[in-house]
Amino acid sequence: MTEHKVNPSIRKQTEARLRRIARIGEVFVDGDTFKDVVKKPEMNTGDEYCVNHAKHIAIKQTLLKLRRIEEGDIGVVAWRPFKDQADLTVPVDVHPLSVRPGNHPISPAMAEALAGRVGVQELSMRGFPLLSVCAPIRDSLDDVVGILEVYASLVPKVFRVNKMAD
């Protein structure tokens, strides 16, 4: 597989864009609604996913709006801490770590968000480099109840589309 060189200028610009969206998301994602999306956390295995549909749709609508803040190919998802892992609670886009809701190890960037800070990480999807920014989702008492993750490719879209078609 070909390794893709990332232009430092593009990485810096992408990180600035993603941080801006994540910061806006920190303010506009309703943590009280988010923490009530999953009805029975103990049943959540990825296949048995019991959610409050009205609250799920409300959070998903907010995430879709966040995606439209900046031009470009931006992904947004919301994770919920579940035991010692993170659960992909509100998928809006296909995430590099999974194709459906489920539990995944908490990455260092996710741990930063759970600690109330913004974390940045590099990921890979189909061999293409992505940059991801994780920010805390807070409830009305300012407790961190989830993780907002915003991510984008570090490779120009035209190149990715042509390469993936090969």
Side-chain angles (χ1 to χ4, degrees):
M1 185 173 296
T2 308
E3 187 174 318
H4 302 282
K5 294 218 179 211
V6 177
N7 180 321
S9 172
I10 291 194
R11 189 195 185 286
K12 185 176 178 179
Q13 290 170 7
T14 302
E15 183 174 340
R17 292 172 57 225
L18 296 180
R19 281 181 178 273
R20 204 168 23 254
I21 295 168
R23 178 66 185 125
I24 293 167
E26 279 187 71
V27 174
F28 286 103
V29 175
D30 183 343
D32 292 315
T33 300
F34 178 77
K35 69 182 177 183
D36 291 334
V37 166
V38 177
K39 286 183 182 178
K40 299 179 183 176
E42 68 282 355
M43 287 184 46
N44 181 18
T45 64
D47 292 327
E48 299 291 333
Y49 206 65
C50 186
V51 299
N52 176 319
H53 289 286
K55 292 184 179 196
H56 185 268
I57 294 300
I59 296 296
K60 192 167 190 168
Q61 287 172 333
T62 302
L63 298 182
L64 287 166
K65 288 176 185 175
L66 287 174
R67 215 172 70 184
R68 293 194 312 256
I69 288 172
E70 293 269 348
E71 292 290 325
D73 192 13
I74 295 168
V76 181
V77 296
W79 298 87
R80 177 180 64 93
F82 182 71
K83 297 183 181 175
D84 60 346
Q85 299 191 348
D87 166 46
L88 182 56
T89 304
V90 186
V92 173
D93 300 292
V94 175
H95 190 271
L97 299 178
S98 84
V99 293
R100 63 186 171 108
N103 298 326
H104 299 282
I106 293 177
S107 71
M110 290 175 168
E112 285 290 309
L114 289 173
R117 300 179 296 271
V118 173
V120 179
Q121 63 190 351
E122 291 190 24
L123 302 170
S124 178
M125 184 173 196
R126 298 184 186 128
F128 293 94
L130 299 175
L131 189 66
S132 165
V133 173
C134 296
I137 297 173
R138 298 176 189 274
D139 66 9
S140 58
L141 297 175
D142 210 29
D143 293 327
V144 176
V145 296
I147 303 161
L148 172 68
E149 184 177 13
V150 184
Y151 57 93
S153 175
L154 291 171
V155 179
K157 188 174 183 175
V158 173
F159 177 74
R160 280 186 304 124
V161 170
N162 292 339
K163 254 334 225 187
M164 289 166 67
D166 292 343

